[in-house]
Each structure stands twice: as C-alpha cells, then as structure tokens.
Amino acid sequence: MKAFIVDRYQSNGPLRLEEVPEPEVREQDVLVAVHAAGVNPLDAKIRDGEFKLILPYRLPLILGNDVAGVVVRVGAKVRRFKPGDEVYARPDQGRIGTFAELIAMDEADVALKPRNLSMAEAASIPLVGLTAWQVLVERAKLKTGQKVLIHAGSGGVGTFAIQLAKHLGATVATTTSTENVGLVRSLGADVVVDYKNEDYTKVLRGYDVVLNSLGKDTLEQSLRVLKPGGKLISISGPPDVEFAKHSGLSWPLQQVMRLLSFDIRRKAKRQGVGYSFVFMQANGEQLSKITALIESGAVRQIMDKVFPFSATNDAMDYLAKGRAKGKVVVKMVG
C-alpha cells in the first residue's frame, strides 16, 4: 500500500511517499480502507521531533492522526464492527498512520461515522472533537452557567470547542483575528476578542476555565482572567507530572515533566488556580457521543480545505501557515 512516511525528525521536512506492507490485523482490530485523513498541528510536531521525548516512535513512521473510511476486515474477537461499516477514529497514539491506504486500529478506538457527514468531513472531527471533549467534559467538568475562554477560536480545536461549550451551557469567550470574528460568533461565542485590536487580559475577568492551545506567553497571561479555583488547561504544553504518570513514562521522565511545568504550576498556585496538561487519548466511546451531537445538529464540522492524498505535503505546508479556519483534510477516494 502507499503511505506517507517520516524517515527522520526534521523541522518542516517533507514526508516520503512509499510502498509499504499492509498493517497486521490483531484479534481486536478493524482494518480500515482510508477514504480521508485529517491534518493536524500534532502531525507537524511529531515530524519535527517535538514529542520524541514523550512519544518515542520508531522511524520510519507513517504519519497521520485522523481517519474516516470503510472497514474491510476484522479480527477474530471484534464484535462491534463488520466489513462495509463506515467508521472514523483517532488511532491510539502508539498506532498512528492515517496517511496511508489502509490502517489497523483497535475496535475500542473506532466509532461509526456520522450519517450526515461525508468521509472528508468526518475525517476532520476525531482529534479535535476528542480533544475538546476531554478538556471540557472530562478535565474541566464544565457546567451550565460557567464561563470558559477558548483561545484560537477559528482553529480546528477552537471551532469544535466553542460549540461543545455552548452545548454544555457555558458562556464562551474566544480570541481570534479580525477576519474570523464572524465565524466564531456563528459558532456560538458570546464574547469575541480580536487579538489584533484588543488585549483579552484587560477585557475578560472571573472565568472558570481557560483552554489554551497557544504558546508560553499566552499560557501565563491567561492566569489573569481566571477566578480563584479556576482551571488553566493546556493542550500545547508544558506537560506535567500527572500526564507523565498516566502515560506510563519512567520516573526520570516524570521528573523532567515536573521541571518543565514547574514555572507555570508555581504561578498558577500563586493565583489560586490549577494548571494541567491534556494530551488527547483515543476513545471510541467518547467519539460515539460526539457522533450523536453531530447527527443532532448540536455541533457542526468546520473544514477549511481538502487536498488530494498525493498532495499531503502541500496540506502540511498549508496548515503550517496558521491561517486555516477549522480543519485541513487529505482525501484518498474520489
């Protein structure tokens, strides 16, 4: 089968299109013919080697963290899926590889594709949908009437998180650029801060939760908008020791994570708020709940651009410009 491969960690290095063996199908696996794959900042970070400390992949590596496609074969112990099922997933972090014609995944990580979405639209959902779910529902335990700030509201995670937070009954603020104010308002944002013209730390106060997907400066500045007891949750780092323990990292690596997050944890403690890092995990059960939200119309997908599979490197380059509204997808079929 054809697949796009990372041969070595290299900043902005091109992926290599190569013929590789079909994946092994284990007893609890579904083998999926890839129809479309989402492209994410995570793919670039893996390619660049930013996560090699916490995700020690063996190279060469097939890249790709989002998929929609059709089941072509199932393992002997699979009970939830059958050949012909249209599915989507974020594969387990140890078994990524959606920039390929086929991928094998544990059935626990897979869900039936929303009936009202095309394959390309469905492929734009799993990683960002699960990230938003695990931050807002699992970690923040966001409740009706609470206030949440979602940074980068026009991005992949932001566009989904705004809608999920509104569904949960929260008041939602977001930061975005001038040209995207209309988009985030249409998704349900109650307060929109145009970062080109306003300082969100002077506009927002008393927030319960901040979802940060940006850099160190934004992370630290976000402490100012939280009320005592609030939660600063970052998906862009730095990783903390709880993440390291949950991921089964060695004791020395746990101490590295403790040091990496020491400064922001100390500053958060001074402000009387909590800091935590979330690295999204594959979860078919949660994805099924997201499917229900999409089919009911509570959440809609936002897709910026679709590239043919052969232009996967172009898709990566386009996403790296940081101007995409919603998700970028590569399409294998059609």
Side-chain angles (χ1 to χ4, degrees):
M1 68 172 186
K2 291 183 173 64
F4 276 95
I5 290 172
V6 177
D7 285 307
R8 63 189 178 94
Y9 293 130
Q10 179 184 5
S11 181
N12 298 315
L15 308 179
R16 177 170 58 88
L17 183 59
E18 182 66 86
E19 284 285 342
V20 299
E22 291 188 5
E24 172 195 0
V25 180
R26 304 171 188 172
E27 287 186 328
Q28 293 181 314
D29 281 356
V30 293
L31 181 67
V32 173
V34 178
H35 283 221
V39 183
N40 297 281
L42 175 61
D43 298 308
K45 291 180 179 182
I46 292 172
R47 175 202 61 193
D48 296 350
E50 289 186 31
F51 283 143
K52 60 185 177 183
L53 190 64
I54 59 176
L55 295 175
Y57 291 116
R58 292 180 60 185
L59 302 179
L61 168 74
I62 302 174
L63 203 58
N65 287 272
D66 270 326
V67 64
V70 175
V71 176
V72 294
R73 194 161 80 246
V74 300
K77 293 186 177 179
V78 170
R79 297 292 178 265
R80 294 174 52 229
F81 302 99
K82 64 185 184 305
D85 284 344
E86 295 187 342
V87 297
Y88 70 153
R90 192 287 198 203
D92 180 78
Q93 64 191 38
R95 302 183 70 187
I96 67 170
T98 64
F99 296 168
E101 292 180 310
L102 295 165
I103 185 170
M105 300 173 286
D106 191 299
E107 69 168 336
D109 301 334
V110 179
L112 292 173
K113 179 184 77 67
R115 293 186 296 270
N116 56 336
L117 296 188
S118 69
M119 286 290 184
E121 291 168 339
S124 74
I125 294 293
L127 188 140
V128 298
L130 287 168
T131 299
W133 185 277
Q134 290 170 19
V135 169
L136 299 177
V137 177
E138 299 291 313
R139 185 66 56 87
K141 295 179 170 40
L142 194 64
K143 297 179 178 64
T144 298
Q146 289 190 310
K147 299 198 299 182
V148 58
L149 166 60
I150 295 165
H151 281 296
S154 64
V157 172
T159 53
F160 197 97
I162 289 170
Q163 297 177 83
L164 178 59
K166 286 302 295 181
H167 175 73
L168 295 171
T171 296
V172 180
T174 191
T175 57
T176 193
S177 60
T178 308
E179 56 269 28
N180 293 323
V181 168
L183 170 64
V184 297
R185 286 199 186 283
S186 75
L187 297 175
D190 300 288
V191 182
V192 180
V193 180
D194 176 355
Y195 68 78
K196 292 184 177 180
N197 296 305
E198 294 179 285
D199 180 350
Y200 70 91
T201 65
K202 295 179 180 178
V203 178
L204 308 177
R205 283 289 183 275
Y207 275 67
D208 298 279
V209 178
V210 173
L211 193 173
N212 176 63
S213 57
L214 302 174
K216 181 175 183 290
D217 289 345
T218 302
L219 182 69
E220 294 184 358
Q221 291 165 2
S222 295
L223 293 170
R224 301 181 204 168
V225 311
L226 286 164
K227 69 180 186 182
K231 298 174 181 178
L232 174 56
I233 304 171
S234 182
I235 61 173
S236 57
D240 57 13
V241 69
E242 291 305 315
F243 160 76
K245 289 178 179 177
H246 181 76
S247 300
L249 299 181
S250 65
W251 187 86
L253 280 179
Q254 291 179 29
Q255 302 318 302
V256 170
M257 301 300 130
R258 189 187 300 276
L259 287 172
L260 287 173
S261 62
F262 175 77
D263 191 47
I264 187 63
R265 287 188 293 108
R266 180 187 61 183
K267 291 176 179 176
K269 189 174 181 180
R270 285 178 182 170
Q271 295 284 115
V273 304
Y275 169 76
S276 61
F277 170 72
V278 169
F279 189 88
M280 191 277 301
Q281 303 294 316
N283 191 310
E285 182 179 352
Q286 291 176 359
L287 196 55
S288 293
K289 294 176 181 178
I290 290 168
T291 298
L293 290 179
I294 293 169
E295 290 183 343
S296 73
V299 177
R300 60 188 172 99
Q301 60 78 35
I302 304 296
M303 193 162 57
D304 185 283
K305 195 168 183 179
V306 179
F307 289 78
F309 178 70
S310 60
T312 296
N313 277 307
D314 294 334
M316 294 278 288
D317 291 342
Y318 177 77
L319 186 65
K321 294 177 183 176
R323 297 178 187 146
K325 300 176 183 179
K327 286 294 292 289
V328 175
V329 171
V330 294
K331 189 176 180 183
M332 178 71 73
V333 178

